[in-house]
């Protein structure tokens, strides 16, 4: 019995570590509830009478040695850690700085441009109901224009779907607020499309809406010129008549990009013009659906794809790079 205690004593004396885990391991082994020390104290009564005195002496020595050892090593560790962490004059760790995703950069630019002229940001849910995504926007059930937006439905309930455009937010905002209204609504949208260089089943849009008394098409056009100039530095735009169920009249907006070099020719398909968004005067039916009197109020709306704009701004020819999160691609947007 005595031999065992002496063996532990030797082991304890020679133990040394600066590793916090090893020190804790040592503490548990010797000082833990089921540790060596407790076991030895328990075995004291089995020690033959004549050895008891010597056994007790060495055991107490072992106990002292263990406690001192743990205290010393722990103190050493604390000193070491605090000397590393508390020196405020030391240079910081060279953490690599991250950067915004190009889609966030473009979204922020768009929102900034509109917030300068009084638009506020309003967001809505990505899981929508039929009313806000379609019906209230003058797209009743069986309307053929629903086909333009291949929809993902949630489970088997045809009333619940992943929104196909952020136009749904204008409905929500008009239902909750009285004119004058001026909002931009950024967010994710979903369409059941095959993924390719030009299309993705998930992408991002910014929707804009302005409702007040006597809002005219001229107001819309002036806002679009301001936007094109602010974002692209190009103010030549044209409005091509188009069709959207929620606006009447509707138009597609092209900006004149130029034909200065080979890339210009490529991205504008030799025309010099690029389509950037859809727009129009809010259809009176939509106003009525949102409890706004079309005889008193009018307004315009527009909607654009953030990916499309980012691809134009940064000359990217494959939409998929936005979702791959390849660090070599993202790193290029550090200084923007
Ligand atoms: N919601 C349309 C789309 O996803 C975009 C759009 C077009 C929005 C014209 C509008 C608008 O507000 O007036 O394709």
């Amino acid at each position: 019995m005595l031999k065992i205690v002496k063996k532990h004593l030797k082991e304890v004396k020679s133990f040394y570590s600066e590793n916090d885990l090893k020190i804790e391991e040592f503490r548990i082994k010797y000082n833990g509830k089921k540790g060596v020390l407790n076991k030895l104290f328990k075995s004291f009564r089995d020690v033959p009478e004549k050895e008891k005195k010597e056994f007790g002496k060495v055991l107490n020595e072992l106990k002292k040695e263990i406690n001192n050892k743990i205290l010393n090593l722990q103190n050493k560790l604390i000193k070491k850690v605090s000397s590393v962490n508390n020196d405020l004059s030391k240079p910081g760790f060279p953490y690599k700085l991250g950067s915004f995703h190009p889609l966030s950069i473009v979204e922020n630019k768009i929102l900034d441009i509109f917030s300068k002229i009084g638009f506020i940001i309003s967001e809505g849910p990505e899981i929508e109901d039929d009313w806000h995504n379609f019906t209230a926007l003058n797209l009743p059930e069986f309307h053929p224009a629903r086909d333009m937006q291949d929809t993902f439905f949630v489970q088997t309930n045809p009333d619940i779907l992943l929104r196909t455009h952020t136009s749904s937010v204008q409905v929500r905002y008009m239902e909750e607020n009285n004119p004058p209204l001026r909002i931009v609504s950024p967010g994710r949208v979903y369409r059941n499309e095959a993924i390719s260089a030009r299309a993705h089943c998930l992408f991002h849009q910014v929707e804009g809406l302005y409702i007040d008394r006597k809002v005219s098409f001229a107001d819309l056009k002036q806002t679009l010129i301001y936007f094109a100039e602010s974002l692209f530095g190009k103010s030549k735009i044209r409005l091509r008549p188009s069709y959207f169920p929620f606006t009447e009249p509707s138009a597609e907006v092209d900006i004149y990009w130029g034909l200065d070099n080979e890339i210009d020719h490529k991205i504008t398909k030799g025309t010099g013009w690029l389509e950037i968004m859809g727009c129009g005067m809010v259809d009176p039916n939509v106003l009525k659906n949102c409890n706004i009197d079309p005889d008193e109020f009018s307004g315009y709306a527009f909607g654009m794809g953030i990916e499309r704009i980012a691809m134009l701004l940064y000359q990217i020819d494959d939409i998929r790079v936005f979702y791959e999160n390849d660090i070599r691609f993202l790193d290029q947007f550090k200084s923007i």
Side-chain angles (χ1 to χ4, degrees), residues 149 165 167 170 191 205 207 244 246-247 278-280 301-303:
Q149 304 188 350
H165 52 185
S167 304
Q170 45 158 295
R191 288 190 200 172
Q205 287 185 335
E207 175 83 11
F244 298 102
F246 27 90
T247 42
C279 67
F302 53 86

Side-chain angles (χ1 to χ4, degrees), residues 103-104 106-108 110-111 121-127 162-169 184-191 201-208 303-307 323:
L103 293 178
S104 301
V106 173
E107 179 181 310
N108 288 337
I110 297 170
L111 298 180
I121 296 169
S122 172
E123 289 174 301
E126 287 171 34
I127 299 175
L162 297 179
R163 68 177 176 196
T164 57
H165 52 185
T166 41
S167 304
S168 53
V169 186
V184 269
S185 307
R188 268 187 218 128
V189 300
Y190 303 83
R191 288 190 200 172
C201 53
L202 177 163
F203 56 103
H204 300 76
Q205 287 185 335
V206 174
E207 175 83 11
M304 65 190 105
I306 300 180
E307 278 81 352
Y323 317 111

Side-chain angles (χ1 to χ4, degrees), residues 170 207-211 215-217 220 224 239 242 244 246-253 277-283 299-303:
Q170 45 158 295
E207 175 83 11
L209 174 76
Y210 175 38
I211 308 282
V215 178
S216 70
F217 205 92
L220 168 60
L224 296 174
L239 296 163
S242 183
F244 298 102
F246 27 90
T247 42
E248 179 58 39
S250 304
E252 224 118 20
V253 184
M277 65 169 111
C279 67
M281 301 305 290
V282 178
D283 193 292
Y300 60 72
F302 53 86

Side-chain angles (χ1 to χ4, degrees), residues 140-209:
E141 211 188 339
F142 305 122
H143 192 292
R146 283 193 181 204
D147 277 357
M148 291 195 312
Q149 304 188 350
D150 302 304
T151 311
F152 283 120
F153 292 93
V154 174
Q155 291 180 337
T156 49
N157 185 346
D159 192 43
I160 307 293
L161 45 94
L162 297 179
R163 68 177 176 196
T164 57
H165 52 185
T166 41
S167 304
S168 53
V169 186
Q170 45 158 295
V171 177
R172 287 189 174 269
Y173 199 79
M174 283 192 275
E175 282 173 343
E176 304 269 314
N177 298 276
N178 293 320
L181 309 172
R182 210 179 283 183
I183 56 160
V184 269
S185 307
R188 268 187 218 128
V189 300
Y190 303 83
R191 288 190 200 172
N192 189 4
E193 296 207 28
I195 297 173
S196 70
R198 299 259 131 220
H200 207 276
C201 53
L202 177 163
F203 56 103
H204 300 76
Q205 287 185 335
V206 174
E207 175 83 11
L209 174 76

Side-chain angles (χ1 to χ4, degrees), residues 114-131:
F114 285 106
S115 66
K116 281 197 186 117
I117 54 169
F119 283 76
I120 60 166
I121 296 169
S122 172
E123 289 174 301
E126 287 171 34
I127 299 175
E128 255 308 356
D129 51 40
D130 181 283
W131 170 256

